[in-house]
Amino acid sequence: MRKFVIYIFLFAIISCADDTELTDSIYVADSENPELTAYSEWGYNTFGIVYERNVFTYSNNVVPLKVIVDTNYVSFLMQGQMNYDYMALKISIPDSSITSYQDLLNYNNTIISLAAEDIFVEMIEENTSYKLNILSGELNFLSIKRLMVDNIEEGIILSGEFNLKFVKEGIPESMSNGRFDFAVNDAIFFAF
Amino acid sequence: MRKHFLFLLLVICARQLVFSNNKLFGEELSSELLSHLYLNVSIGNQFYDCLSPDYDFVRASTNYYSSYESKTLSYYFDQIFADVKIEYRFFEEKLWLSSGLRYSNLLSSLGKYAYYENSSDYFYLTTNNDENTSNFYRVQNIDYSAHYLGLPIELRYSPFSLRFIRVFFKAGTEFNFLFQENKSVDFKTTEMENYEGDILDLFDSSPGLYGSVYLGAGIHLGRPGKTGFRLEANFPVFPFCSGSFGLVEPVFGGGAEFSIVFPLKF
């Protein structure tokens, strides 16, 4: 009887299993720096960047990207961890044309200078937020494509590279060799 | 039923070929020679360990860093065969040389292994992409079934016998030629079956020539000159082929074979 209950319980778990592979993060190690994910254009929901001597990268515990549209700005909030502590980077770009995640296709093959005056970059470590004074940096959308699964649109794939130099709390720091690969759909797109 | 009938017909033809007026290819066979000849009818199966295929059009599927593959695909390569061989025993009946005709069915499959209860049983594969769109297809399995006709050559050495049990060791090789190949793709949704050709185009076909070299050992039950039964293990088996193996790449394998051995002289 006890075994029967266990089997029923296991069957219930299996039956309720949902396909989350397109929203999960898929880790493929970079061949030169295995702490970073390799650059990809598969919508693996990962990012990684060398921050000084550490690596700021995605975490399985938080949604790695949220796209937030608010008062003529579109913000890319990359959430992850560094040394197992929560960390996030929010890049806000002035753009009033974005009303849905499909509009992000317009950024395909676009390089955005993060040192521009009207672009804001914010770093969040644990509960503290820092506005960064950007010295130089780029956000390069190398490839943005529609993601079709069995001929049904499931979102878009947003892939690219980024790096920046900045002053934080009076100390110059750098982030380099960054890459990202996200599957973006309505679930992570927020318009206010 | 039809397969069984064809198999039986093949056995009868082989026996008739030798028995008809004691002539083989028009040449008189001596009674002495016949006493050293046997007809060997076998069936067998061989499993192969395979290399992980690293297809760049298959989406990775592990969400953690590990030294394991990032693509949790499952795959197998299996050979089922049946053959009819003529066996010649010499060197005081310690060496048995045999050859004949072998039919082989090579089955290979590529699919998704669900490690956890919430893992999916399909993988994502991409093709037909353009500058603005990535097309993913959810595939559960890709299966190949290749049919070969071939020539096995085997040498067995039986150093000793215990009453009607003989232990033997063997070395062999086979050369098989492809005559038919069937491929299929199991999609997650049946509506995608129109894309089967596009998916199959991504993979190599089965090789035109497939063969293997192998060692083995077994036991033969039956007295000399009488009908006997033979059970043998083939290990290791090293495959070779012309070009690509197709869906997956076998490295080495092992298997088992069962035979009925008829003397050609009663």
Side-chain angles (χ1 to χ4, degrees):
Chain A
M1 183 63 190
R2 194 176 163 193
K3 272 186 180 175
F4 180 73
V5 172
I6 290 170
Y7 288 144
I8 292 289
F9 178 69
L10 286 175
F11 179 76
I13 290 175
I14 292 166
S15 302
C16 295
D18 196 10
D19 172 31
T20 57
E21 282 197 17
L22 288 178
T23 53
D24 278 349
S25 294
I26 304 295
Y27 190 91
V28 179
D30 185 276
S31 57
E32 292 180 3
N33 185 354
E35 285 188 86
L36 285 175
T37 58
Y39 175 78
S40 58
E41 296 180 359
W42 284 89
Y44 284 154
N45 294 308
T46 57
F47 70 89
I49 190 166
V50 177
Y51 180 13
E52 299 285 293
R53 289 188 168 186
N54 295 298
V55 172
F56 166 43
T57 185
Y58 78 98
S59 157
N60 284 324
N61 300 322
V62 289
V63 176
L65 176 73
K66 288 183 178 177
V67 182
I68 303 159
V69 176
D70 190 12
T71 57
N72 299 330
Y73 269 82
V74 56
S75 299
F76 297 92
L77 176 66
M78 286 186 263
Q79 302 183 103
Q81 55 92 17
M82 191 171 72
N83 296 330
Y84 302 105
D85 292 326
Y86 174 83
M87 184 171 163
L89 196 68
K90 186 178 179 184
I91 300 171
S92 299
I93 300 164
D95 191 339
S96 57
S97 69
I98 307 293
T99 57
S100 69
Y101 73 83
Q102 287 95 340
D103 294 330
L104 295 173
L105 288 164
N106 299 332
Y107 284 123
N108 189 24
N109 282 322
T110 302
I111 299 175
I112 294 170
S113 171
L114 300 178
E117 279 187 4
D118 52 355
I119 288 180
F120 302 105
V121 181
E122 197 178 335
M123 183 184 289
I124 303 140
E125 289 178 306
E126 292 299 325
N127 296 321
T128 312
S129 175
Y130 304 94
K131 281 211 167 164
L132 304 182
N133 179 15
I134 302 295
L135 302 174
S136 65
E138 283 181 351
L139 178 60
N140 188 354
F141 293 103
L142 287 167
S143 168
I144 304 180
K145 291 182 178 182
R146 286 183 194 280
L147 167 58
M148 307 292 288
V149 177
D150 292 347
N151 288 345
I152 296 169
E153 185 174 311
E154 294 283 345
I156 61 168
I157 295 175
L158 196 75
S159 306
E161 295 174 340
F162 66 116
N163 61 76
L164 59 160
K165 287 183 177 177
F166 54 88
V167 177
K168 178 186 155 195
E169 300 280 278
I171 298 171
E173 294 179 342
S174 72
M175 287 182 161
S176 60
N177 209 13
R179 68 283 310 273
F180 57 87
D181 181 19
F182 299 114
V184 181
N185 57 24
D186 256 336
I188 62 168
F189 185 86
F190 302 89
F192 296 101
Chain B
M1 187 64 195
R2 195 177 162 197
K3 278 183 184 173
H4 292 293
F5 176 73
L6 286 174
F7 183 68
L8 193 63
L9 194 66
L10 196 63
V11 174
I12 291 167
C13 287
R15 288 195 65 135
Q16 278 301 113
L17 181 68
V18 178
F19 281 130
S20 56
N21 300 323
N22 270 4
K23 285 184 178 177
L24 180 63
F25 307 120
E27 193 175 319
E28 193 85 20
L29 281 174
S30 70
S31 175
E32 170 64 19
L33 179 61
L34 265 182
S35 67
H36 294 289
L37 288 176
Y38 292 80
L39 181 72
N40 186 337
V41 182
S42 307
I43 55 168
N45 193 0
Q46 275 161 188
F47 292 99
Y48 288 89
D49 185 35
C50 304
L51 274 181
S52 168
D54 188 21
Y55 293 119
D56 58 6
F57 44 81
V58 173
R59 190 176 193 263
S61 53
T62 54
N63 58 2
Y64 54 89
Y65 171 69
S66 76
S67 58
Y68 295 107
E69 297 298 321
S70 59
K71 295 166 188 171
T72 52
L73 297 178
S74 60
Y75 37 87
Y76 71 79
F77 191 93
D78 184 21
Q79 178 187 11
I80 300 167
F81 64 86
D83 62 38
V84 178
K85 299 187 287 279
I86 296 293
E87 182 173 285
Y88 176 61
R89 297 185 183 178
F90 58 104
F91 193 59
E92 296 176 345
E93 296 242 333
K94 287 185 175 177
L95 284 176
W96 310 344
L97 181 66
S98 60
S99 185
L101 187 66
R102 172 171 288 180
Y103 161 76
S104 292
N105 184 199
L106 294 190
L107 301 165
S108 51
S109 177
L110 187 71
K112 172 75 182 293
Y113 185 84
Y115 279 111
Y116 308 107
E117 65 269 12
N118 61 347
S119 298
S120 57
D121 60 350
Y122 54 84
F123 59 95
Y124 290 93
L125 187 148
T126 188
T127 185
N128 299 330
N129 296 324
D130 59 36
E131 201 174 309
N132 304 313
T133 310
S134 286
N135 289 298
F136 289 6
Y137 301 91
R138 292 182 296 175
V139 174
Q140 290 183 308
N141 274 303
I142 299 170
D143 298 307
Y144 278 20
S145 176
H147 303 271
Y148 288 85
L149 270 182
L151 176 79
I153 302 169
E154 296 175 343
L155 182 65
R156 289 174 177 80
Y157 173 58
S158 176
F160 56 87
S161 64
L162 297 167
R163 296 178 70 96
F164 57 89
I165 299 176
R166 300 195 69 157
V167 178
F168 62 85
F169 305 94
K170 79 168 178 183
T173 186
E174 58 175 342
F175 301 91
N176 302 298
F177 299 91
L178 180 72
F179 68 90
Q180 192 184 340
E181 183 186 34
N182 304 318
K183 305 174 182 180
S184 65
V185 180
D186 288 337
F187 289 94
K188 178 67 178 171
T189 52
T190 52
E191 293 80 17
M192 303 309 294
E193 283 171 358
N194 291 339
Y195 294 90
E196 187 176 55
D198 295 333
I199 303 298
L200 291 173
D201 283 346
L202 298 169
F203 298 90
D204 290 327
S205 291
S206 297
L209 167 69
Y210 164 80
S212 68
V213 288
Y214 46 91
L215 298 175
I219 54 169
H220 177 99
L221 304 176
R223 291 193 173 88
K226 303 290 182 188
T227 298
F229 301 94
R230 193 176 286 172
L231 187 64
E232 52 202 307
N234 298 331
F235 186 85
V237 183
F238 295 104
F240 60 84
C241 75
S242 57
S244 162
F245 277 104
L247 200 58
V248 298
E249 190 175 340
V251 182
F252 76 98
E257 187 175 339
F258 175 75
S259 312
I260 303 176
V261 183
F262 303 99
L264 293 188
K265 181 187 179 186
F266 289 105

mmCIF file of all heavy atoms in Angstrom, chain B residues 93-125:
data_model
loop_
_atom_site.group_PDB
_atom_site.id
_atom_site.type_symbol
_atom_site.label_atom_id
_atom_site.label_comp_id
_atom_site.label_asym_id
_atom_site.label_seq_id
_atom_site.Cartn_x
_atom_site.Cartn_y
_atom_site.Cartn_z
ATOM 1 N N GLU B 93 40.351 -31.318 -36.615
ATOM 2 C CA GLU B 93 39.051 -30.730 -36.234
ATOM 3 C C GLU B 93 39.184 -29.694 -35.129
ATOM 4 O O GLU B 93 38.231 -29.408 -34.407
ATOM 5 C CB GLU B 93 38.058 -31.818 -35.807
ATOM 6 C CG GLU B 93 37.709 -32.775 -36.918
ATOM 7 C CD GLU B 93 36.230 -32.746 -37.270
ATOM 8 O OE1 GLU B 93 35.410 -32.410 -36.408
ATOM 9 O OE2 GLU B 93 35.915 -33.040 -38.438
ATOM 10 N N LYS B 94 40.386 -29.105 -35.001
ATOM 11 C CA LYS B 94 40.575 -28.075 -33.975
ATOM 12 C C LYS B 94 40.378 -26.671 -34.557
ATOM 13 O O LYS B 94 40.085 -25.733 -33.831
ATOM 14 C CB LYS B 94 41.965 -28.182 -33.353
ATOM 15 C CG LYS B 94 42.111 -29.370 -32.417
ATOM 16 C CD LYS B 94 43.444 -29.386 -31.721
ATOM 17 C CE LYS B 94 43.484 -30.531 -30.706
ATOM 18 N NZ LYS B 94 44.791 -30.627 -30.054
ATOM 19 N N LEU B 95 40.592 -26.541 -35.844
ATOM 20 C CA LEU B 95 40.381 -25.242 -36.499
ATOM 21 C C LEU B 95 39.139 -25.331 -37.377
ATOM 22 O O LEU B 95 38.987 -26.284 -38.151
ATOM 23 C CB LEU B 95 41.601 -24.870 -37.350
ATOM 24 C CG LEU B 95 42.830 -24.375 -36.601
ATOM 25 C CD1 LEU B 95 43.982 -24.146 -37.572
ATOM 26 C CD2 LEU B 95 42.537 -23.088 -35.834
ATOM 27 N N TRP B 96 38.256 -24.324 -37.247
ATOM 28 C CA TRP B 96 37.013 -24.299 -38.006
ATOM 29 C C TRP B 96 36.963 -22.983 -38.782
ATOM 30 O O TRP B 96 36.873 -21.900 -38.183
ATOM 31 C CB TRP B 96 35.796 -24.367 -37.087
ATOM 32 C CG TRP B 96 35.828 -25.473 -36.059
ATOM 33 C CD1 TRP B 96 36.646 -26.557 -36.056
ATOM 34 C CD2 TRP B 96 35.016 -25.566 -34.889
ATOM 35 N NE1 TRP B 96 36.406 -27.331 -34.958
ATOM 36 C CE2 TRP B 96 35.401 -26.756 -34.218
ATOM 37 C CE3 TRP B 96 34.021 -24.793 -34.338
ATOM 38 C CZ2 TRP B 96 34.819 -27.154 -33.024
ATOM 39 C CZ3 TRP B 96 33.427 -25.201 -33.160
ATOM 40 C CH2 TRP B 96 33.821 -26.386 -32.497
ATOM 41 N N LEU B 97 37.015 -23.085 -40.081
ATOM 42 C CA LEU B 97 36.971 -21.895 -40.935
ATOM 43 C C LEU B 97 35.591 -21.809 -41.573
ATOM 44 O O LEU B 97 35.119 -22.792 -42.157
ATOM 45 C CB LEU B 97 38.046 -21.982 -42.017
ATOM 46 C CG LEU B 97 38.148 -20.809 -42.988
ATOM 47 C CD1 LEU B 97 38.604 -19.544 -42.262
ATOM 48 C CD2 LEU B 97 39.125 -21.127 -44.116
ATOM 49 N N SER B 98 34.955 -20.672 -41.453
ATOM 50 C CA SER B 98 33.598 -20.576 -42.008
ATOM 51 C C SER B 98 33.386 -19.253 -42.734
ATOM 52 O O SER B 98 33.993 -18.229 -42.386
ATOM 53 C CB SER B 98 32.551 -20.735 -40.906
ATOM 54 O OG SER B 98 32.705 -19.740 -39.932
ATOM 55 N N SER B 99 32.522 -19.300 -43.700
ATOM 56 C CA SER B 99 32.131 -18.110 -44.437
ATOM 57 C C SER B 99 30.784 -18.357 -45.103
ATOM 58 O O SER B 99 30.395 -19.515 -45.293
ATOM 59 C CB SER B 99 33.189 -17.749 -45.493
ATOM 60 O OG SER B 99 32.843 -16.527 -46.102
ATOM 61 N N GLY B 100 30.104 -17.285 -45.434
ATOM 62 C CA GLY B 100 28.797 -17.455 -46.057
ATOM 63 C C GLY B 100 28.144 -16.129 -46.358
ATOM 64 O O GLY B 100 28.811 -15.168 -46.753
ATOM 65 N N LEU B 101 26.863 -16.078 -46.132
ATOM 66 C CA LEU B 101 26.079 -14.890 -46.449
ATOM 67 C C LEU B 101 25.408 -14.384 -45.168
ATOM 68 O O LEU B 101 24.777 -15.180 -44.456
ATOM 69 C CB LEU B 101 25.019 -15.240 -47.497
ATOM 70 C CG LEU B 101 24.220 -14.074 -48.077
ATOM 71 C CD1 LEU B 101 25.116 -13.141 -48.889
ATOM 72 C CD2 LEU B 101 23.085 -14.618 -48.963
ATOM 73 N N ARG B 102 25.551 -13.097 -44.904
ATOM 74 C CA ARG B 102 24.983 -12.534 -43.674
ATOM 75 C C ARG B 102 24.050 -11.373 -43.995
ATOM 76 O O ARG B 102 24.385 -10.488 -44.786
ATOM 77 C CB ARG B 102 26.103 -12.048 -42.765
ATOM 78 C CG ARG B 102 25.616 -11.270 -41.548
ATOM 79 C CD ARG B 102 26.745 -10.993 -40.571
ATOM 80 N NE ARG B 102 27.139 -12.217 -39.875
ATOM 81 C CZ ARG B 102 28.106 -12.276 -38.970
ATOM 82 N NH1 ARG B 102 28.786 -11.186 -38.665
ATOM 83 N NH2 ARG B 102 28.410 -13.416 -38.376
ATOM 84 N N TYR B 103 22.888 -11.420 -43.380
ATOM 85 C CA TYR B 103 21.978 -10.271 -43.427
ATOM 86 C C TYR B 103 22.094 -9.539 -42.094
ATOM 87 O O TYR B 103 22.022 -10.161 -41.028
ATOM 88 C CB TYR B 103 20.534 -10.720 -43.649
ATOM 89 C CG TYR B 103 19.523 -9.657 -43.249
ATOM 90 C CD1 TYR B 103 19.300 -8.553 -44.062
ATOM 91 C CD2 TYR B 103 18.846 -9.737 -42.039
ATOM 92 C CE1 TYR B 103 18.412 -7.572 -43.681
ATOM 93 C CE2 TYR B 103 17.954 -8.755 -41.640
ATOM 94 C CZ TYR B 103 17.739 -7.668 -42.467
ATOM 95 O OH TYR B 103 16.874 -6.690 -42.084
ATOM 96 N N SER B 104 22.280 -8.213 -42.153
ATOM 97 C CA SER B 104 22.379 -7.414 -40.930
ATOM 98 C C SER B 104 21.410 -6.252 -40.979
ATOM 99 O O SER B 104 21.213 -5.639 -42.035
ATOM 100 C CB SER B 104 23.790 -6.831 -40.764
ATOM 101 O OG SER B 104 24.719 -7.833 -40.508
ATOM 102 N N ASN B 105 20.842 -5.969 -39.840
ATOM 103 C CA ASN B 105 19.992 -4.790 -39.701
ATOM 104 C C ASN B 105 20.647 -3.902 -38.646
ATOM 105 O O ASN B 105 20.743 -4.270 -37.483
ATOM 106 C CB ASN B 105 18.585 -5.212 -39.261
ATOM 107 C CG ASN B 105 17.608 -4.062 -39.185
ATOM 108 O OD1 ASN B 105 16.589 -4.164 -38.542
ATOM 109 N ND2 ASN B 105 17.894 -2.943 -39.850
ATOM 110 N N LEU B 106 21.148 -2.752 -39.089
ATOM 111 C CA LEU B 106 21.770 -1.814 -38.152
ATOM 112 C C LEU B 106 20.722 -0.801 -37.721
ATOM 113 O O LEU B 106 20.148 -0.095 -38.545
ATOM 114 C CB LEU B 106 22.934 -1.067 -38.815
ATOM 115 C CG LEU B 106 24.156 -1.874 -39.216
ATOM 116 C CD1 LEU B 106 25.290 -0.944 -39.628
ATOM 117 C CD2 LEU B 106 24.615 -2.754 -38.076
ATOM 118 N N LEU B 107 20.506 -0.753 -36.420
ATOM 119 C CA LEU B 107 19.519 0.175 -35.868
ATOM 120 C C LEU B 107 20.252 1.236 -35.075
ATOM 121 O O LEU B 107 21.038 0.912 -34.183
ATOM 122 C CB LEU B 107 18.551 -0.571 -34.947
ATOM 123 C CG LEU B 107 17.768 -1.717 -35.586
ATOM 124 C CD1 LEU B 107 17.142 -2.599 -34.526
ATOM 125 C CD2 LEU B 107 16.705 -1.155 -36.502
ATOM 126 N N SER B 108 20.026 2.487 -35.404
ATOM 127 C CA SER B 108 20.627 3.558 -34.608
ATOM 128 C C SER B 108 19.559 4.599 -34.319
ATOM 129 O O SER B 108 18.616 4.786 -35.106
ATOM 130 C CB SER B 108 21.828 4.179 -35.331
ATOM 131 O OG SER B 108 21.504 4.547 -36.638
ATOM 132 N N SER B 109 19.734 5.228 -33.172
ATOM 133 C CA SER B 109 18.716 6.174 -32.738
ATOM 134 C C SER B 109 19.359 7.311 -31.968
ATOM 135 O O SER B 109 20.337 7.122 -31.252
ATOM 136 C CB SER B 109 17.690 5.458 -31.850
ATOM 137 O OG SER B 109 16.738 6.369 -31.374
ATOM 138 N N LEU B 110 18.782 8.489 -32.122
ATOM 139 C CA LEU B 110 19.226 9.672 -31.387
ATOM 140 C C LEU B 110 17.985 10.277 -30.756
ATOM 141 O O LEU B 110 16.990 10.517 -31.442
ATOM 142 C CB LEU B 110 19.857 10.659 -32.369
ATOM 143 C CG LEU B 110 20.544 11.892 -31.830
ATOM 144 C CD1 LEU B 110 21.842 11.518 -31.136
ATOM 145 C CD2 LEU B 110 20.877 12.848 -32.982
ATOM 146 N N GLY B 111 18.032 10.474 -29.461
ATOM 147 C CA GLY B 111 16.849 11.014 -28.784
ATOM 148 C C GLY B 111 17.236 11.843 -27.587
ATOM 149 O O GLY B 111 18.380 12.260 -27.457
ATOM 150 N N LYS B 112 16.268 12.069 -26.722
ATOM 151 C CA LYS B 112 16.526 12.885 -25.538
ATOM 152 C C LYS B 112 16.372 12.002 -24.320
ATOM 153 O O LYS B 112 15.373 11.301 -24.181
ATOM 154 C CB LYS B 112 15.542 14.048 -25.482
ATOM 155 C CG LYS B 112 15.585 14.866 -24.207
ATOM 156 C CD LYS B 112 16.795 15.780 -24.162
ATOM 157 C CE LYS B 112 16.856 16.551 -22.854
ATOM 158 N NZ LYS B 112 15.778 17.506 -22.710
ATOM 159 N N TYR B 113 17.364 12.066 -23.451
ATOM 160 C CA TYR B 113 17.296 11.319 -22.208
ATOM 161 C C TYR B 113 16.809 12.246 -21.114
ATOM 162 O O TYR B 113 17.419 13.286 -20.859
ATOM 163 C CB TYR B 113 18.665 10.754 -21.865
ATOM 164 C CG TYR B 113 18.642 9.872 -20.637
ATOM 165 C CD1 TYR B 113 18.293 8.528 -20.747
ATOM 166 C CD2 TYR B 113 18.944 10.377 -19.382
ATOM 167 C CE1 TYR B 113 18.253 7.722 -19.633
ATOM 168 C CE2 TYR B 113 18.900 9.575 -18.268
ATOM 169 C CZ TYR B 113 18.561 8.242 -18.395
ATOM 170 O OH TYR B 113 18.522 7.450 -17.293
ATOM 171 N N ALA B 114 15.714 11.894 -20.487
ATOM 172 C CA ALA B 114 15.167 12.739 -19.419
ATOM 173 C C ALA B 114 15.803 12.338 -18.091
ATOM 174 O O ALA B 114 15.456 11.319 -17.505
ATOM 175 C CB ALA B 114 13.656 12.586 -19.362
ATOM 176 N N TYR B 115 16.786 13.127 -17.635
ATOM 177 C CA TYR B 115 17.494 12.802 -16.400
ATOM 178 C C TYR B 115 16.592 12.938 -15.176
ATOM 179 O O TYR B 115 16.707 12.213 -14.215
ATOM 180 C CB TYR B 115 18.703 13.715 -16.213
ATOM 181 C CG TYR B 115 19.906 13.283 -17.013
ATOM 182 C CD1 TYR B 115 20.361 14.030 -18.091
ATOM 183 C CD2 TYR B 115 20.577 12.112 -16.682
ATOM 184 C CE1 TYR B 115 21.467 13.628 -18.811
ATOM 185 C CE2 TYR B 115 21.683 11.698 -17.401
ATOM 186 C CZ TYR B 115 22.130 12.463 -18.460
ATOM 187 O OH TYR B 115 23.210 12.066 -19.177
ATOM 188 N N TYR B 116 15.751 13.948 -15.200
ATOM 189 C CA TYR B 116 14.912 14.219 -14.036
ATOM 190 C C TYR B 116 13.443 14.111 -14.442
ATOM 191 O O TYR B 116 13.103 14.147 -15.619
ATOM 192 C CB TYR B 116 15.197 15.631 -13.498
ATOM 193 C CG TYR B 116 16.664 15.865 -13.266
ATOM 194 C CD1 TYR B 116 17.390 16.689 -14.116
ATOM 195 C CD2 TYR B 116 17.309 15.223 -12.223
ATOM 196 C CE1 TYR B 116 18.754 16.874 -13.915
ATOM 197 C CE2 TYR B 116 18.667 15.412 -12.021
ATOM 198 C CZ TYR B 116 19.385 16.242 -12.861
ATOM 199 O OH TYR B 116 20.715 16.415 -12.669
ATOM 200 N N GLU B 117 12.595 14.051 -13.415
ATOM 201 C CA GLU B 117 11.180 13.845 -13.710
ATOM 202 C C GLU B 117 10.573 15.036 -14.446
ATOM 203 O O GLU B 117 9.573 14.894 -15.141
ATOM 204 C CB GLU B 117 10.386 13.537 -12.431
ATOM 205 C CG GLU B 117 10.324 14.656 -11.424
ATOM 206 C CD GLU B 117 11.467 14.574 -10.435
ATOM 207 O OE1 GLU B 117 12.405 13.809 -10.671
ATOM 208 O OE2 GLU B 117 11.413 15.295 -9.444
ATOM 209 N N ASN B 118 11.197 16.216 -14.297
ATOM 210 C CA ASN B 118 10.633 17.370 -14.995
ATOM 211 C C ASN B 118 11.395 17.677 -16.287
ATOM 212 O O ASN B 118 11.227 18.730 -16.877
ATOM 213 C CB ASN B 118 10.607 18.599 -14.086
ATOM 214 C CG ASN B 118 11.994 19.003 -13.640
ATOM 215 O OD1 ASN B 118 12.930 18.236 -13.809
ATOM 216 N ND2 ASN B 118 12.112 20.187 -13.080
ATOM 217 N N SER B 119 12.269 16.750 -16.698
ATOM 218 C CA SER B 119 12.973 16.955 -17.970
ATOM 219 C C SER B 119 12.041 16.593 -19.121
ATOM 220 O O SER B 119 11.185 15.719 -18.986
ATOM 221 C CB SER B 119 14.209 16.066 -18.043
ATOM 222 O OG SER B 119 15.092 16.391 -17.018
ATOM 223 N N SER B 120 12.259 17.257 -20.222
ATOM 224 C CA SER B 120 11.434 16.948 -21.380
ATOM 225 C C SER B 120 12.012 15.742 -22.104
ATOM 226 O O SER B 120 13.196 15.430 -21.983
ATOM 227 C CB SER B 120 11.395 18.153 -22.315
ATOM 228 O OG SER B 120 12.699 18.494 -22.687
ATOM 229 N N ASP B 121 11.181 15.076 -22.872
ATOM 230 C CA ASP B 121 11.640 13.898 -23.610
ATOM 231 C C ASP B 121 11.878 14.250 -25.075
ATOM 232 O O ASP B 121 11.741 13.403 -25.948
ATOM 233 C CB ASP B 121 10.639 12.747 -23.468
ATOM 234 C CG ASP B 121 9.267 13.128 -24.013
ATOM 235 O OD1 ASP B 121 9.063 14.318 -24.314
ATOM 236 O OD2 ASP B 121 8.406 12.240 -24.135
ATOM 237 N N TYR B 122 12.194 15.476 -25.350
ATOM 238 C CA TYR B 122 12.506 15.891 -26.714
ATOM 239 C C TYR B 122 13.627 16.911 -26.669
ATOM 240 O O TYR B 122 13.923 17.488 -25.622
ATOM 241 C CB TYR B 122 11.278 16.481 -27.416
ATOM 242 C CG TYR B 122 10.618 17.602 -26.653
ATOM 243 C CD1 TYR B 122 11.091 18.906 -26.750
ATOM 244 C CD2 TYR B 122 9.529 17.349 -25.820
ATOM 245 C CE1 TYR B 122 10.486 19.923 -26.041
ATOM 246 C CE2 TYR B 122 8.928 18.368 -25.109
ATOM 247 C CZ TYR B 122 9.424 19.651 -25.218
ATOM 248 O OH TYR B 122 8.830 20.653 -24.501
ATOM 249 N N PHE B 123 14.264 17.093 -27.803
ATOM 250 C CA PHE B 123 15.315 18.095 -27.875
ATOM 251 C C PHE B 123 14.992 19.085 -28.990
ATOM 252 O O PHE B 123 14.152 18.816 -29.847
ATOM 253 C CB PHE B 123 16.688 17.458 -28.083
ATOM 254 C CG PHE B 123 16.833 16.631 -29.327
ATOM 255 C CD1 PHE B 123 17.360 17.178 -30.487
ATOM 256 C CD2 PHE B 123 16.459 15.292 -29.338
ATOM 257 C CE1 PHE B 123 17.510 16.420 -31.642
ATOM 258 C CE2 PHE B 123 16.597 14.523 -30.487
ATOM 259 C CZ PHE B 123 17.119 15.081 -31.629
ATOM 260 N N TYR B 124 15.651 20.227 -28.913
ATOM 261 C CA TYR B 124 15.422 21.274 -29.908
ATOM 262 C C TYR B 124 16.515 21.197 -30.964
ATOM 263 O O TYR B 124 17.697 21.082 -30.651
ATOM 264 C CB TYR B 124 15.459 22.653 -29.253
ATOM 265 C CG TYR B 124 14.291 22.938 -28.343
ATOM 266 C CD1 TYR B 124 14.370 22.676 -26.982
ATOM 267 C CD2 TYR B 124 13.112 23.474 -28.834
ATOM 268 C CE1 TYR B 124 13.305 22.945 -26.137
ATOM 269 C CE2 TYR B 124 12.047 23.738 -28.007
ATOM 270 C CZ TYR B 124 12.145 23.478 -26.655
ATOM 271 O OH TYR B 124 11.089 23.731 -25.834
ATOM 272 N N LEU B 125 16.069 21.300 -32.181
ATOM 273 C CA LEU B 125 16.988 21.216 -33.310
ATOM 274 C C LEU B 125 16.656 22.400 -34.222
ATOM 275 O O LEU B 125 15.492 22.782 -34.337
ATOM 276 C CB LEU B 125 16.708 19.885 -33.986
ATOM 277 C CG LEU B 125 17.559 19.378 -35.093
ATOM 278 C CD1 LEU B 125 17.587 17.854 -35.016
ATOM 279 C CD2 LEU B 125 17.004 19.802 -36.399
#
